[in-house]
Structures are given as structure tokens and as C-alpha cells.
Amino acid sequence: MSELLRILLLLLPAILHTANGNSLATESWCFWSSDGFSDMEYIRSYTFNKINYMEYNSTLGKYVGYTEIGIYNAEIWNNNTAELQARKAAVDRFCKHNAQIYSSAILSKAVEPQVEVTLVKKSDGTHPARLMCSAYSFYPPDIEVTWLRNGQKIEGDVTSTEEMADGDWYYQIHSHLEYMPESGEEISCVVQHASFQKPMVYKWGESDHHSQI
């Protein structure tokens, strides 16, 4: 796991309700993970009655339709040079501008989580052991906690709580792993957060040791 935590900026959708009960909505999404916003991706989606029928994707540099009417409109708009230029300009005008504000107001005040890996339940040889990876006192609340077994990501047997407010503007989260221990193996908890330059790895059995991926 070598990617940085990907940050999402969503501005409130514009929704139009018609007299016959139909609704048309547009949403704008900005995704990035680099400090300089060099990988910024802008997506503008168009939804009719909760069905996403078309969207603009800055990585593709064009509109993509997902329904018959969406494909029809995408072809028209992709042939409109002024429209495409306006959407391309939105990466800087809309996404990067707002991302800079978000970074200054939120990410610059990020607080690193305090992470602990603890044994909740021992294995008796027939039933699995349970580990808990807890992250405390972090801000902002967006965080990702995953597990590695001998360097490979564990996909199953993992349950996590939602980010919970501590009551003092900070947050906590707890992730549980059930597994059958094997001799010589290495179990690690991986935490990705805006306060880290890279994901941090916390090895079970080495509570004071952590490293970057």
C-alpha cells in the first residue's frame, strides 16, 4: 500500500425539481492526493431522478454518457469547444482554488493520530485471535485503517467502527481483525491520514515501533 490518502472535496449539488415530480441534479467532485495538486481530478456528474446519466471527467478530458440520453448529450457537448474549455478550466478555477482553501483551513491544522495495536482475545487453537488497532485524538476525521499479514493486505475478517468524535474536536476509530496465528508471521496495522506524508505501519508486538510505507 503505497498511495497517499486520497482527498475528496464535494461541493453541494444543485437540484432542480419540476412540477411533475422529476428532479435534475449536478454535483462537482474534486479528487487529489499530492500536496501540489498535480494529480487533481475534476468530475461533474449529471443525475436525473437519481440515475447518473452523464459526467465530465477531467482525466479523460471529455463527457461520458451512461444512458441513451446521456450518450446523446455527451456527444453534443464533446463537440462544443467552448464547453470543453470551460470544464478544463474548472480544474484550476474550481478544484484547485477550493482545495487550497481547504488545505489552508483544515489540512494545515491536521493532528496526527495516536495508534495502538492490542490483543483483545487470544486463540485457543481452534478459535481465532482478535486484534484491535485503535487511533485516537486525530483531526480531520477522514482516516483509513487496514491490516497487513506478512506484507499482504487482509481483505476479510476485518470490522471497523465509524470515526467517533471525542468531544474535544478530535476523533477516534477502532478496527478489529480476527485471524488464526501462525508461527513466524508478521501482522501490521496501516493508518492513512492527512497528517501523514505516507501511510504509517504499526506492527503487532512492537507497540512502540512504526514506520512509513
Side-chain angles (χ1 to χ4, degrees):
M1 185 180 301
S2 59
E3 293 186 358
L4 293 174
L5 180 65
R6 202 170 191 217
I7 301 171
L8 161 67
L9 179 66
L10 167 64
L11 268 70
L12 294 178
I15 303 176
L16 173 65
H17 296 282
T18 64
N20 58 5
N22 293 319
S23 64
L24 177 65
T26 60
E27 291 180 302
S28 296
W29 309 74
C30 305
F31 298 91
W32 76 97
S33 59
S34 65
D35 291 337
F37 313 122
S38 60
D39 59 349
M40 180 67 73
E41 182 177 55
Y42 168 56
I43 294 177
R44 182 177 176 87
S45 65
Y46 298 79
T47 304
F48 181 72
N49 289 342
K50 299 183 178 180
I51 297 177
N52 183 21
Y53 69 92
M54 183 179 69
E55 70 180 24
Y56 173 81
N57 185 307
S58 66
T59 301
L60 299 176
K62 65 179 183 180
Y63 286 89
V64 178
Y66 299 108
T67 66
E68 183 177 355
I69 187 66
I71 294 172
Y72 175 78
N73 285 332
E75 183 177 358
I76 293 176
W77 287 15
N78 284 333
N79 289 320
N80 187 325
T81 303
E83 171 64 25
L84 286 183
Q85 289 179 342
R87 291 290 142 233
K88 291 178 181 179
V91 175
D92 291 321
R93 176 182 53 79
F94 173 75
C95 281
K96 292 185 179 180
H97 172 72
N98 285 287
Q100 288 169 349
I101 295 174
Y102 174 77
S103 179
S104 175
I106 303 296
L107 297 186
S108 63
K109 299 174 177 60
V111 178
E112 290 187 7
Q114 301 172 17
V115 180
E116 296 179 355
V117 182
T118 55
L119 179 65
V120 177
K121 179 183 177 182
K122 291 184 178 181
S123 171
D124 59 7
T126 58
H127 296 88
R130 179 183 294 176
L131 293 176
M132 180 171 67
C133 182
S134 300
Y136 300 95
S137 302
F138 59 86
Y139 184 84
D142 295 325
I143 195 169
E144 183 177 355
V145 179
T146 54
W147 293 86
L148 297 179
R149 189 171 192 171
N150 297 324
Q152 300 297 314
K153 183 178 180 180
I154 301 174
E155 298 293 347
D157 303 318
V158 175
T159 58
S160 297
T161 66
E162 298 292 330
E163 297 87 346
M164 299 178 291
D166 288 339
D168 55 2
W169 296 100
Y170 297 119
Y171 291 81
Q172 60 177 286
I173 191 173
H174 308 275
S175 178
H176 294 85
L177 168 69
E178 288 193 347
Y179 75 109
M180 292 299 295
E182 297 179 0
S183 177
E185 68 183 350
E186 181 179 279
I187 304 294
S188 303
C189 171
V190 181
V191 179
Q192 299 186 74
H193 188 252
S195 60
F196 296 148
Q197 292 296 319
K198 295 182 178 181
M200 300 297 292
V201 181
Y202 301 83
K203 296 181 181 178
W204 160 236
E206 302 180 26
S207 58
D208 295 328
H209 176 73
H210 59 272
S211 59
Q212 294 184 339
I213 292 182

